[in-house]
Amino acid sequence: MPELPEVETTLRGIEPFLTGHAIREIVVRNPSLRWPVPAEVHRATGRGVTRCWRRGKYLLVELDPGTALTGQEPGGLLIHLGMSGSLRICDAADAPRKHDHVDIVVENDKCVRFNDPRRFGVFTWWSPPASSHKLLGSLGPEPLSAEFSGNHLWRNSRGRNGAVKNFIMDGKIVVGVGNIYASEALFMSGIHPARAAGRISAPRYDALAGAIRDVLSHAIRRGGTTLRDFQGADGNPGYFAQELLVYERAGLPCFQCGTPVRRKVIGQRSSYYCPRCQR
Ligand SMILES: [Zn+2]
């Protein structure tokens, strides 16, 4: 599943092909994604892209708002890669492959193509302010922003008995901490994933917030190194092999102490941890 670093890498990959260019057309081959692709997406036709940005794992393509005279609806395209989605750059004339559901065709005949075998992705329209969109409204702070801190985690966790791993994966608390990076950050900060969120001290949350930032920014930097492959001949979107400390390493020795890494299901998700290093 694409996690925040892959989404950020995707953003950096598509941004130069969209920003400053006019959209010639939106081609919808299959509207049956997580929700049907609405007709509003065709409002993008003929309009310039002013910027591309990310909120959590949502990509926003913002369009020239026009004037009262042109009567354009301000806003733009809202894309989520779901479980298996990807975007790639190709020529508009290239034959679509299986699961290529939607194209954003740009004036120079380049095309950003949305592929999604499992169709849990989202391709829809947003109107400003983006924060009022039903998918974006309740999102917590960005993990790499100044708003996110150990203090933010500590304050919001008081009185919560649920596992800390579920707490940091809750998008209302902080966005974009998926299963892989939650396991990794908890290992890096020495916190047991099943520990009650409300029973972790402020200093330990400082360590955890720092680990979340480190693990995500490291992965984004690694993703950046694959950017040149973004529009490679094979059209591979440039997801990257991860160097992981505990994730999917059950039974293998902990890199810190040699104790076998354990796997435990928490909130229906596999969690990996060292029983000796994490308390
Ligand atoms: Zn260990």
Side-chain angles (χ1 to χ4, degrees):
M1 185 189 315
E3 292 218 32
L4 187 136
E6 287 87 351
V7 178
E8 178 67 26
T9 301
T10 298
L11 171 67
R12 294 177 189 187
I14 63 170
E15 205 273 337
F17 292 90
L18 292 176
T19 302
H21 294 279
I23 293 177
R24 204 177 66 201
E25 94 182 285
I26 304 290
V27 178
V28 180
R29 279 183 212 89
N30 179 358
S32 308
L33 300 181
R34 181 162 183 188
W35 295 291
V37 177
E40 282 108 312
V41 301
H42 297 292
R43 287 173 180 168
T45 305
R47 294 170 62 181
V49 176
T50 52
R51 71 173 177 136
C52 299
W53 48 292
R54 179 183 63 72
R55 181 71 179 100
K57 296 203 312 189
Y58 291 92
L59 294 165
L60 291 92
V61 176
E62 191 161 345
L63 300 168
D64 179 353
T67 62
L69 272 179
T70 57
Q72 288 173 348
E73 199 73 42
L77 303 168
L78 179 63
I79 302 164
H80 191 286
L81 302 178
M83 306 284 284
S84 57
S86 62
L87 294 171
R88 72 176 191 279
I89 308 292
C90 61
D91 289 323
D94 291 350
R97 301 176 191 167
K98 203 174 179 189
H99 311 302
D100 279 346
H101 304 311
V102 186
D103 286 357
I104 305 173
V105 182
V106 185
E107 57 197 344
N108 56 11
D109 289 325
K110 283 285 175 192
C111 166
V112 174
R113 197 161 269 183
F114 180 76
N115 181 287
D116 187 1
R118 295 181 65 181
R119 292 190 284 114
F120 278 106
V122 177
F123 195 103
T124 190
W125 179 263
W126 65 276
S127 300
S131 58
S132 70
H133 193 282
K134 65 177 196 298
L135 295 172
L136 307 175
S138 60
L139 298 182
E142 290 288 328
L144 301 176
S145 74
E147 270 175 274
F148 176 67
S149 65
N151 185 257
H152 168 81
L153 291 177
W154 181 80
R155 263 187 294 115
N156 284 283
S157 61
R158 295 307 89 186
R160 289 190 187 232
N161 298 318
V164 61
K165 178 156 177 278
N166 295 338
F167 173 68
I168 59 172
M169 287 179 66
D170 178 351
K172 295 188 195 72
I173 300 299
V174 55
V175 296
V177 183
N179 199 40
I180 296 173
Y181 299 107
S183 280
E184 294 292 295
L186 287 163
F187 174 77
M188 287 161 69
S189 51
I191 297 171
H192 194 291
R195 176 166 281 269
R199 298 196 53 205
I200 295 171
S201 68
R204 298 188 84 199
Y205 270 124
D206 283 341
L208 179 56
I212 288 171
R213 259 197 297 271
D214 286 351
V215 73
L216 290 173
S217 40
H218 178 73
I220 289 169
R221 274 199 304 277
R222 297 250 318 155
T225 65
T226 66
L227 258 188
R228 64 194 143 78
D229 300 330
F230 195 80
Q231 52 163 344
D234 62 350
N236 187 306
Y239 292 168
F240 33 98
Q242 324 251 1
E243 304 155 329
L244 299 170
L245 299 172
V246 283
Y247 190 77
E248 288 188 339
R249 293 195 65 248
L252 297 171
C254 166
F255 287 126
Q256 264 176 153
C257 74
T259 305
V261 169
R262 280 193 199 157
R263 174 181 172 276
K264 182 185 171 77
V265 175
I266 300 171
Q268 285 122 49
R269 307 294 300 274
S270 289
S271 302
Y272 299 86
Y273 66 101
C274 171
R276 188 155 163 212
C277 296
Q278 292 176 256
R279 290 166 298 111

